[in-house]
Structures are given as structure tokens and as C-alpha cells.
Amino acid sequence: MNAQQQQKAIEALDRQREKERKQHYAMMYHLGAYMKLHYEGVMLPYKVLYDLEKAEHEKTFTEVPPNPYYPNPAITLKTKWSMPNYEGDYKGLPLNNSGLPDLKADIEYKKKYEEYEQRVKSEKMSVDKWGYYYARFLLPYNLLSFTDFDFWGEIPKDDEAKAVVANLRAACVEAQTDCREHPEEYNLEPIPRLEAHKTIYDVPYGYI
């Protein structure tokens, strides 16, 4: 192999590495956006969440990212550490569907855990507030051009999923339109990440 061939081989390897790097990042953004929408209940289109994941990774988005506790960055540490520990006898408990001791069969523990769940729920953003806080993230987009995949991160598999996507689409379009017409009724100001959040909230690793 002569010098010219070596150079071409090196360039080909560099292109392959760059392609693989982009694919890795694309999958990372996809998973982050998909998880927020499907498992955390963050009511924003998949495409919007994907773009925010990308901007966050590239450090061009320095705000509190959309999450179930928005405008706070996460659950408070006080609530997180208030989750009750079971101190009874596991042997006396029936098994749940996973084959593990059903802790909630213990009435006293069940009561404590339900109280904990209420504390968690009370910290989550109210459904009534999602438009107030999230509509500004929709403003740069032409939502009418979005496909079902753009909203959902996958093609809806059944009628139930199609109905969910249709409702999400309608809600986002309505919030975007109203925000453009009545911006004074929405939060349009960035909510910055703060160093102080580390001592108050269970912020994700690398948050600051």
C-alpha cells in the first residue's frame, strides 16, 4: 500500500467513525425523547423533545429541560428520601405477579407508601399548567406539517395509539395558536438551570 492508498484508507476510516458517532448520538437523542414522552408523560411532540435532547447534549440549551416536575428540574430530595422502607417480615407476605413479596399487602406500609405517592404527585406539574409552560417550546415549529411519527416517535400501532396521537396533536396545535395570539398568558421566559438545584432536587447526573 503506497502513501496515497494509506491516506485514502485513513480518510475512509474517519468517515466511518464519524458516521457511527452520529448514529450513536441520534439513538441517544431518540431514547431520551421517547422516554420523556412515553414513560414520563412530558406532553410535547417527539420531534420537539428530540431537538431539545440534541441541544442539551451540544450545550446550546441551558435551561431546565422539560420533565414531569417542570418548572422544577426534578423531584425534591426531601420527598425522594421520604419513601418508606419496609421493616416487617417478608416471609409473611404473599407474592405479587413478579414473584416478589407484595409489600402493599401490609396495611400499615401500604398507607405510608400511598402517602409518599401523594407527595410525589403533588410535586408534578399540573396538567392544567402544561400549556402555560410548554407552549413556547412549540412556537418555532410548523406543527401542521408534523407526521404521526414526529408527534409520537413511532408509527401508532393501533386505534388507541392513533387516538392518543390525535389528541396530542390537537392539544399542541391549540396551545401553539393561543400562545401566538395571547403571549401574555404564557411563560415565555427561559427557566435557567441553577447550581442551587443540586442541593434541593434530585437532578439527573450532569444536569449543571
Side-chain angles (χ1 to χ4, degrees):
M1 181 181 291
N2 58 36
Q4 185 178 11
Q5 291 172 325
Q6 288 179 338
Q7 183 60 33
K8 287 184 177 181
I10 290 172
E11 290 173 355
L13 285 172
D14 287 342
R15 286 194 298 270
Q16 181 62 28
R17 291 193 192 100
E18 179 64 14
K19 179 181 178 181
E20 292 173 353
R21 185 183 68 83
K22 289 181 178 179
Q23 289 174 338
H24 170 76
Y25 286 151
M27 180 56 66
M28 186 172 66
Y29 306 148
H30 165 74
L31 291 175
Y34 191 92
M35 291 290 289
K36 281 187 175 180
L37 177 59
H38 287 257
Y39 296 99
E40 297 180 26
V42 178
M43 196 171 165
L44 281 170
Y46 163 83
K47 179 174 173 55
V48 175
L49 291 170
Y50 182 99
D51 289 348
L52 290 174
E53 290 286 322
K54 183 174 186 291
E56 189 175 355
H57 178 257
E58 294 174 348
K59 302 189 183 304
T60 57
F61 182 73
T62 57
E63 302 177 37
V64 169
N67 73 90
Y69 305 95
Y70 199 84
N72 297 323
I75 191 174
T76 60
L77 290 168
K78 180 179 179 181
T79 292
K80 179 184 179 182
W81 292 110
S82 73
M83 185 173 71
N85 292 318
Y86 187 71
E87 299 175 351
D89 183 7
Y90 290 95
K91 295 180 181 178
L93 296 174
L95 301 180
N96 59 24
N97 293 334
S98 301
L100 300 172
D102 185 2
L103 303 184
K104 291 185 179 179
D106 184 314
I107 302 301
E108 184 178 347
Y109 177 83
K110 180 180 179 181
K111 180 181 178 182
K112 290 180 180 178
Y113 196 84
E114 287 176 346
E115 290 172 350
Y116 163 74
E117 288 182 316
Q118 281 300 118
R119 289 192 292 274
V120 173
K121 185 177 179 180
S122 70
E123 292 191 11
K124 289 188 175 182
M125 183 176 68
S126 169
V127 174
D128 296 335
K129 288 287 188 181
W130 82 266
Y132 173 80
Y133 283 115
Y134 283 168
R136 72 185 184 87
F137 292 118
L138 302 171
L139 293 180
Y141 295 88
N142 177 10
L143 297 181
L144 297 180
S145 71
F146 275 24
T147 64
D148 285 352
F149 185 92
D150 292 333
F151 272 98
W152 200 230
E154 64 182 11
I155 303 300
K157 297 181 176 65
D158 51 37
D159 290 342
E160 183 179 357
K162 289 178 181 178
V164 171
V165 175
N167 289 335
L168 177 60
R169 181 191 299 272
C172 289
V173 169
E174 180 180 352
Q176 183 193 63
T177 300
D178 195 54
C179 184
R180 286 173 174 169
E181 294 176 354
H182 305 284
E184 71 281 358
E185 296 180 6
Y186 292 83
N187 174 63
L188 302 180
E189 295 298 319
I191 299 175
R193 305 177 188 215
L194 302 174
E195 185 72 20
H197 288 160
K198 287 182 176 180
T199 60
I200 301 172
Y201 302 100
D202 180 28
V203 294
Y205 178 78
Y207 168 72
I208 301 298

